Amino acid sequence: MTVLPVIPDGVPQLSPGTHRSAKTGACFMEFASYLAGEPWSDSPQCTDPLLAHLARAVNDRLSDERRGEIVPDIPRVIGLRGDHRVIAPVVAVRAAASALPVVSMGRQHALAVALLTLPRLLPADAAPAVRHAAREALDAVPEAARWATDHLRRNPVKDRDLRRGAAAMAVQLAATGIAEACVEDPDALLIAALRAAITDVEDLLTSPAAIVDGCLERTSLESKPRSASRSSRSSRMTSTSI
């Protein structure tokens, strides 16, 4: 059984954006870097880059009153690294599936395209729960599914093009769409999307059937993370890709 780090008393409360040090606050991933023993950063080496991207997006879009609810999930992301080519579409599909039923129509069309294309990047036997979530989301919004299907028929997307940032764009669109959706409790949906994505990556990295050379590199949850160098949020968001 994996022993998760204990969150000590006296650490900063979560707040949006980046922070120079713990004295000025912390976001979700900065807190993770602290718990992992890495240099202070909102892009630590202990977590897959796209999962970290989703965590930052959720952190920044939650209301101040609800942001503290994700603190118990911070230790869960420590050690969640593997083959980014596989983890990235898993995270992106989960985020898109969580957002599709509630976002505006324009965003629904874009997210439906993501849900129809990004699963192609997954190995055949990987992430069945994520594939099921994608199908359920598309079934819940048939108009968007039909639009996306017709769009892809007229404008096919190659896998190599999907790997050039499509997953990061889907995550960003999903988080923004949920936060701005006309629903009763967008905070609850953001929290649920992040937790579901973390669970998906945990399942992926612990599934014995998914460990194939060139497909998924297993990363031990107990392994010590490498040190990370700081980078700006803006440069990272423009360069994140799968």
Side-chain angles (χ1 to χ4, degrees), residues 10-221:
V11 296
Q13 290 188 342
L14 296 188
S15 55
T18 57
H19 307 80
R20 293 181 63 87
S21 71
K23 294 180 180 179
T24 59
C27 75
F28 185 100
M29 289 309 305
E30 289 168 336
F31 204 160
S33 74
Y34 168 78
L35 292 177
E38 294 192 33
W40 184 262
S41 171
D42 67 352
S43 183
Q45 291 295 309
C46 61
T47 306
D48 178 81
L50 200 69
L51 183 58
H53 180 45
L54 175 60
R56 291 189 299 268
V58 170
N59 176 91
D60 290 354
R61 286 160 180 78
L62 284 173
S63 64
D64 292 340
E65 295 76 19
R66 301 289 296 277
R67 190 174 292 110
E69 293 182 29
I70 60 175
V71 169
D73 299 294
I74 296 173
R76 297 179 61 197
V77 306
I78 297 173
L80 293 188
R81 285 202 72 117
D83 190 332
H84 185 61
R85 297 167 298 174
V86 180
I87 295 177
V90 166
V91 174
V93 169
R94 174 60 70 179
S98 300
L100 183 64
V102 301
V103 300
S104 62
M105 181 179 295
R107 286 171 173 152
Q108 282 183 334
H109 289 170
L111 290 174
V113 170
L115 289 175
L116 288 173
T117 54
L118 286 173
R120 296 187 341 223
L121 302 181
L122 295 171
D125 58 348
V130 174
R131 296 177 189 274
H132 180 70
R135 290 192 297 268
E136 280 195 332
L138 289 166
D139 289 344
V141 192
E143 187 280 330
R146 286 193 296 270
W147 184 93
T149 300
D150 182 63
H151 174 79
L152 290 169
R153 185 180 300 113
R154 291 181 285 107
N155 303 277
V157 179
K158 296 180 179 179
D159 288 359
R160 68 170 180 267
D161 295 326
L162 289 176
R163 295 189 181 278
R164 295 172 180 167
M169 288 187 289
V171 165
Q172 189 73 14
L173 185 62
T176 302
I178 292 174
E180 298 178 357
C182 296
V183 294
E184 183 176 352
D185 193 356
D187 283 341
L189 295 177
L190 285 168
I191 293 169
L194 176 59
R195 288 176 174 167
I198 294 172
T199 298
D200 291 333
V201 178
E202 288 173 337
D203 291 344
L204 188 68
L205 293 176
T206 56
S207 172
I211 313 303
V212 179
D213 184 37
C215 166
L216 182 63
E217 175 188 347
R218 178 173 235 166
T219 299
S220 170
L221 297 178

